[in-house]
Amino acid sequence: VEDTRLYLTRELAVEVAPVVLVDRVALRRAMVDGRTASELQRGGKAAAEVEALWRWIQRQLPRRNVS
């Protein structure tokens, strides 16, 4: 994972999320049922990783003024 991240950032100048989703049982179980990791195991490691990724994605999105 780290080698790929370095290649993308250094060679291709692509921004890569600093969050890694590890292959966790809770994440796989949740996807089978169409749920999220936090629905299956609130406060677990898988839920924390997904939440961290979502927070990073939100910071990347442009702000919109809604009136």
Side-chain angles (χ1 to χ4, degrees):
V1 171
E2 192 57 34
D3 290 342
T4 302
R5 179 189 307 257
L6 288 174
Y7 174 76
L8 289 170
T9 57
R10 291 182 181 167
E11 301 297 322
L12 301 179
V14 173
E15 187 171 5
V16 178
V19 180
V20 175
L21 297 181
V22 178
D23 183 19
R24 300 196 185 277
V25 173
L27 191 55
R28 283 187 273 131
R29 273 198 205 145
M31 285 192 286
V32 167
D33 293 342
R35 294 186 286 169
T36 64
S38 62
E39 288 176 300
L40 188 66
Q41 202 174 50
R42 186 173 301 281
K45 290 179 182 180
E49 291 168 359
V50 172
E51 177 62 30
L53 179 59
W54 176 238
R55 283 194 308 269
W56 182 83
I57 290 170
Q58 286 179 312
R59 289 192 302 272
Q60 307 315 303
L61 297 173
R63 301 269 186 228
R64 292 187 350 189
N65 290 330
V66 178
S67 41

